[in-house]
Amino acid sequence: MNVLAIETSCDETAVAILAGSAEIRASEIASQVALHQPHGGVVPELASRSHLSQLEPLIERALASAGLRLAEIDLFAATVGPGLATSLMLGLAAAKGLAVGTGKPFVAVNHLEGHLLSPFLDSPGGVRPYVGLVVSGGHTLLIDVAEVGSYRLLGQTRDDAAGEAFDKVAKLLGLAYPGGPEIDRLARGGDPKRFAFPRSMLGSGDLSFSFSGLKTAVRYMLPQFGEGDLPDVCASFQAAVCDVLVAKTLTAARTANRQLVTVSGGVSCNSRLRERFTADCAEAGIDLLFAAPNLSTDNAAMIGYVALQRFARGETSPLTTDIDPNLRLAA
Ligand code: KG4
Ligand code: ZN
């Protein structure tokens, strides 16, 4: 069973081929970071034009590195949402076109389900019940997972996503886009206790998040920061984000009575977040699984993985399936 999956929900063009239940035979990503960097954020029109020119060569490259011919692909998959409409439609059209052309089935995949299940991609034993934290540029979600396809939303952000907070604060500080990795890098030499930034909604009694107040706090304190303060500002900001993410996730695990916690999405690459989760889960006696760093940011392997799980349950999607830029994962 070989699946070819395409991911074009935002600014990365990605194509992956998975074999069997989850062996990654190829995972190609054409990053558009350099394209959008001068604009300080993703420009949808530039993104879709780049997807269009990158898709075909990436599909060829993925097939070549997997050592497979198109006729040997048994299933095609693509991200259907959420994301930028003009980006989503290119990947979805390509996958549906390949399915029609080869007479093979097609599965439409929710990008967030890709992130949610990605920690299991290279973990033996497959999906077992857990509480998943998905922290990306567009989402901050706490989901209770009973099994593949059975998701309950425990909490989400009321305003900015965690990655969005990283990117916006980085912009305020004059750092390059995308700001998350930059803040992570600079924070390594900084003091996380130097500035007391707010831990919004830490004591709210529910599992909601809010990061826009933290961003505003950094903005108001900007005039106070001196030349050499940047590492301390980054470390203190990052500590504030991590404190809330870790505390709420552990509360969610206790509330949902789950022994396993997973962390995925672009922000799960963050080194302090990884350290804090590792230490606090060990102390609480809770098992922890991260998405591998190369599977944390947007990629097509996670889309192929979901497609395989769904196909194994007898699910395929009709070729009339259309993009849904606001697709949700769970109610
Ligand atoms: O999952 P992803 O690649 O795309 C979305 O679906 O949004 O996540 C991208 C986000 C960006 O906001 C980026 O700044 C953030 O992940 N990110 C990080 C780090 N690496 C990527 N944030 C903090 N620390 C990092 N090391
Ligand atoms: Zn993503």
Side-chain angles (χ1 to χ4, degrees):
M1 180 78 204
N2 298 316
V3 59
L4 186 151
I6 300 177
E7 151 65 38
T8 61
S9 66
C10 189
D11 61 339
E12 315 283 19
T13 317
V15 178
I17 296 174
L18 273 67
S21 55
E23 185 205 343
I24 302 174
R25 296 280 296 266
S27 182
E28 302 289 331
I29 300 175
S31 171
Q32 299 182 6
V33 165
L35 186 68
H36 300 291
Q37 212 153 40
H39 306 277
V42 177
V43 182
E45 201 168 315
L46 292 180
S48 58
R49 263 188 246 158
S50 177
H51 287 311
L52 183 62
S53 65
Q54 292 291 342
L55 264 169
E56 209 179 318
L58 270 191
I59 292 166
E60 300 284 347
R61 234 161 64 198
L63 285 167
S65 65
L68 292 168
R69 288 173 296 112
L70 192 59
E72 292 172 288
I73 300 296
D74 308 297
L75 176 68
F76 292 91
T79 303
V80 65
L84 294 170
T86 47
S87 287
L88 288 165
M89 58 177 63
L90 284 152
L92 189 74
K96 289 198 291 189
L98 288 165
V100 174
T102 56
K104 300 287 171 54
F106 162 73
V107 176
V109 175
N110 184 321
H111 181 81
L112 296 171
E113 188 175 10
H115 279 305
L116 182 66
L117 299 189
S118 62
F120 295 93
L121 229 169
D122 50 8
S123 132
V127 178
R128 58 188 202 273
Y130 66 103
V131 163
L133 173 70
V134 175
V135 267
S136 70
H139 297 86
T140 303
L141 301 170
L142 270 171
I143 310 260
D144 182 42
V145 180
E147 59 177 331
V148 174
S150 174
Y151 310 128
R152 187 164 58 96
L153 180 65
L154 301 173
Q156 63 185 324
T157 183
R158 297 199 170 164
D159 39 60
D160 293 347
E164 195 178 352
F166 269 95
D167 295 339
K168 286 179 174 172
V169 165
K171 206 168 182 175
L172 283 175
L173 298 173
L175 305 175
Y177 168 87
E182 279 294 289
I183 289 184
D184 192 356
R185 189 177 58 78
L186 284 160
R188 275 174 209 149
D191 174 6
K193 295 206 169 96
R194 170 89 188 279
F195 299 101
F197 291 126
R199 270 68 174 159
S200 304
M201 302 195 72
L202 192 58
S204 64
D206 64 9
L207 296 169
S208 301
F209 300 93
S210 167
F211 293 108
S212 74
L214 174 56
K215 172 193 65 194
T216 309
V218 175
R219 179 182 290 130
Y220 280 134
M221 283 170 77
L222 270 182
Q224 273 176 249
F225 303 144
E227 190 103 312
D229 288 340
L230 195 55
D232 291 346
V233 176
C234 289
S236 301
F237 161 77
Q238 193 173 267
V241 176
C242 294
D243 276 358
V244 183
L245 291 175
V246 173
K248 294 235 170 183
T249 305
L250 290 185
T251 303
R254 281 185 213 107
T255 310
N257 201 20
R258 299 293 187 207
Q259 178 55 33
L260 172 66
V261 152
T262 70
V263 190
S264 54
V267 181
S268 72
C269 291
N270 186 268
S271 45
R272 185 180 172 97
L273 191 66
R274 287 186 170 242
E275 283 165 21
R276 283 292 316 274
F277 262 113
T278 305
D280 287 25
C281 284
E283 199 184 309
I286 288 176
D287 301 334
L288 173 67
L289 203 55
F290 287 108
N294 63 324
L295 300 171
S296 295
T297 47
D298 289 346
N299 65 88
M302 67 181 191
I303 304 303
Y305 183 64
V306 173
L308 283 173
Q309 308 288 320
R310 298 242 165 219
F311 190 71
R313 284 164 170 70
E315 291 176 39
T316 58
S317 308
L319 290 168
T320 49
T321 306
D322 203 357
I323 58 156
D324 184 350
N326 301 311
L327 187 62
R328 294 168 61 93
L329 184 58

